[in-house]
Amino acid sequence: MLQYTIKRLLLVIPTFFLISLLIFVVLNVAPGRPGAGSQNDGGESSNQQQKESFRIFKEQFNLDKPILVNTRWALETADVRELLVTAHKLEGDVTAAERVDAEVDLDDFGNYLVKHLVVLLDDSNPEVQRLAAATLVSAAQLRFVSERRADPLEARRVNREISKANESVKTWTWPEGAPAEQQAAVSASWKDWYTTNEGNYTWTGSERVDAFFFDTRFAKYWSNLIHLDFGISTADRRPVFETVMGKLKYSLSLTMVATLLAYFIAVPIGVFSAYRQGTRLDTAVTVMLFVMYSLPTFFTGTVLLRLLTEGEPFAWFPTGDFQTMSSAPWTTWDRLKDIVWHLVLPMATYTSVSLATLSRYARAGVIEVIRADYIRTARAKGLSEPVVIIKHAVRNGMIPILTLLGGLLPALIAGSVVIEVVFNIPGMGQYIFNAIGARDYNAVMAVLLTSSFLALIGILVSDLSYAFVDPRISFD
C-alpha cells in the first residue's frame, strides 16, 4: 500500500504539470487580452499615455511575452521593417487585421527590436527612419524589477535608476517634416546610446537557448508557482492567493454541508430502493429522483427564489447573499443563525441534484452485490436481514459511491458557479465566473489549478479507499 501510494504521488507531479500547461494555453489563446478594453480614442497626448500605461501593464503580467517558446531573438531587420510598413500602411494594401497584428507585435517584441530599429535609422525611406526612431522609444525601455520576491528597498532603488534611464531617451524622435539636421541629431543620439548599451540588446548562444525556454509567459508563471505564488489579479491588482483564501470560507460553508447532507440522505435511500427493488415504492422513489436529477440547478434555484423569497406564496427566506449586512452588534449565535437561514435555499438546490445522482449509484452498487453468492451464504448461516444488508451488502456496494470521491475535494473548494451566481454568494464559484468575464488569467488559473490538484488527490484517496471496504482489493 505504501509503495503504491508513493508511486501515485510521484505521478501527480507530471500530471499536474501537463494539466497546468493545457489550461494555460487555452486561456492565453482565447480571444481578448486583459486591460485592452481600457484603451480608447482621445487626444494624441492622451493616447500616448494610455499606450505607455498599457505597455507597463503588459510587462507587469508578462502579457507581452510569447506563450510557450520564444524565437524573437531570431528576428531579421527585414522582418522588423515589414512590421513598421504594415502597422503604418506605408506600402501596398493592408487589411485592418494585419495592421492590428503588426501593431501588437511592435508593442510586444520590445527589446528584441532594438538592434534592428537602429539599423533602420539609415533606411532609404525617410518615413521608415522616423517610425524606427519613434518605435525605439518604447522598445528600448528597460523592464522594472518586481518587488514581490525581492528586497523592496533594493528593488525600488533599482527601479528609480531604470526610470531615469528610460526617461533619458523618450525625447529622441522627430515629427513629420522635421529638418534634416534634427533627424541627423536624433539618429546620432540613438547610435551613440546603442554603442554604449549594445550588451543589453544582443544575445549569446546560451542566452538564446535560455530565452527560448524561459523568457515566456508559461515559464514566468511557473517560476512564481513553485514558490506558491499565484500572481497578482489583473482586475483588482491584489494577490490572487489572498483573495482565494478570503472566498474559500463561503464556498466551504455551502458545499461541505450540502455534500455531507446529500450523502447522509442519498445512501439510505439508495440502499432502501435496492432492497425493495421492483416494488411500487421503488418505482415511486426512482421517478422522484429522476425528476430531481433532470431539473438543472439554475432552474431549481430560480424557482425556489421566486416561490419562497418574493412573497408569492411565501417570503420565508432572504433573496440572496451569504449573510445580512448590518452595522448592528450581533452575538455569534445570531450571526450563525442568519448565515444558516441564508444558506437554506442554496443548499437545497445544491443537494437536489447530488442527492439524485448519489442515490442512483448507491442503488446500483447494492443491487449488484445483493445477488452475490456470499450474501446468500450469509443468509444461509442464519444472520439477520439487517446484518446481511448493512454489514455485507452495503459495505461492498459502496465502491461506486467511493468512485465519486475523486470529484468531492475540488467541488468543495471550487464551489458551484451556477448556485453562487444565482444566490449571489461571494464564493469561489462567483469569483471564477467574474474572473473569466474580466479575463483575469491569474485568478482563473489559481482556481482551476487548485481544483485540478485536489481532483488528483481525490482520485488517489478514492482508489485507496477501495481496499478498506473490500478486503479482496489489494495494492501490494
Side-chain angles (χ1 to χ4, degrees), residues 60-81:
Q60 288 177 336
F61 296 98
N62 296 307
L63 298 174
D64 59 333
K65 296 186 180 299
I67 299 173
L68 291 180
V69 294
N70 186 353
T71 59
R72 292 174 179 176
W73 46 263
L75 282 170
E76 300 290 344
T77 302
D79 300 327
V80 178
R81 187 183 190 280

Side-chain angles (χ1 to χ4, degrees), residues 322-342:
F322 184 77
Q323 62 189 54
T324 301
M325 303 304 296
S326 173
S327 59
W330 283 24
T331 64
T332 302
W333 177 246
D334 289 337
R335 180 68 65 186
L336 180 60
K337 288 192 297 182
D338 180 68
I339 292 174
V340 170
W341 201 241
H342 277 78

Side-chain angles (χ1 to χ4, degrees), residues 14 34 47 63 77 118 124 126 149 224 239 312 350 377 407 417 426-427 429 441 443 448 453:
N47 283 338
L63 298 174
T77 302
V118 172
S124 58
R149 293 203 309 271
N224 293 329
E312 294 181 9
Y350 191 94
T377 302
V417 175
Y441 294 163
L448 293 181
F453 178 76

Side-chain angles (χ1 to χ4, degrees), residues 22-40:
L22 177 62
I23 296 174
F24 193 88
V25 171
V26 170
L27 286 178
N28 281 270
V29 301
R33 305 181 79 180
S38 62
Q39 302 182 91
N40 49 62

Side-chain angles (χ1 to χ4, degrees), residues 372-383 388:
D373 292 338
Y374 67 87
I375 296 296
R376 288 193 291 269
T377 302
R379 285 171 173 158
K381 289 168 63 177
L383 296 178
V388 171

Side-chain angles (χ1 to χ4, degrees), residues 135-310:
T135 307
L136 267 169
V137 171
S138 59
Q141 303 293 305
L142 297 176
R143 302 176 73 94
F144 290 104
V145 176
S146 173
E147 300 180 10
R148 287 181 58 75
R149 293 203 309 271
D151 179 9
L153 294 178
E154 178 62 19
R156 289 168 192 165
R157 184 191 66 78
V158 172
N159 285 336
R160 283 195 295 268
E161 295 178 358
I162 292 175
S163 180
K164 291 178 182 178
N166 290 343
E167 287 293 333
S168 66
V169 301
K170 287 186 176 180
T171 59
W172 292 354
T173 60
W174 66 83
E176 294 185 53
E181 294 80 5
Q182 182 181 358
Q183 299 179 28
V186 171
S187 295
S189 297
W190 276 118
K191 291 173 183 177
D192 291 341
W193 171 88
Y194 183 71
T195 301
T196 304
N197 298 278
E198 184 175 0
N200 294 330
Y201 305 99
T202 56
W203 294 269
T204 63
S206 60
E207 288 174 338
R208 292 182 179 187
V209 173
D210 182 74
F212 182 85
F213 290 106
F214 301 112
D215 194 22
T216 62
R217 296 187 207 174
F218 186 66
K220 297 296 183 183
Y221 185 82
W222 256 92
S223 69
N224 293 329
L225 196 60
I226 59 177
H227 293 88
L228 297 180
D229 180 4
F230 289 99
I232 302 293
S233 167
T234 59
D236 58 18
R237 311 297 175 89
R238 294 176 56 195
V240 170
F241 184 77
E242 294 180 6
T243 305
V244 167
M245 290 298 101
K247 300 288 185 182
L248 197 56
K249 63 180 180 180
Y250 301 108
S251 293
L252 282 177
S253 300
L254 170 63
T255 57
M256 182 176 290
V257 176
T259 301
L260 292 176
L261 187 64
Y263 268 88
F264 281 130
I265 298 176
V267 171
I269 290 178
V271 173
F272 179 80
S273 185
Y275 184 69
R276 295 295 185 92
Q277 182 188 7
T279 63
R280 292 183 178 180
L281 190 57
D282 175 44
T283 302
V285 171
T286 300
V287 171
M288 180 185 66
L289 293 175
F290 180 76
V291 171
M292 293 173 61
Y293 179 78
S294 300
L295 296 176
T297 52
F298 72 87
F299 176 80
T300 304
T302 303
V303 170
L304 291 178
L305 281 174
R306 185 70 180 87
L307 293 179
L308 301 179
T309 68
E310 296 183 359

Side-chain angles (χ1 to χ4, degrees), residues 48-60:
Q48 201 63 32
Q49 291 176 355
Q50 289 173 356
K51 288 182 179 179
E52 178 68 9
S53 298
F54 187 49
R55 181 188 67 79
I56 296 175
F57 171 82
K58 290 191 293 184
E59 287 184 359
Q60 288 177 336

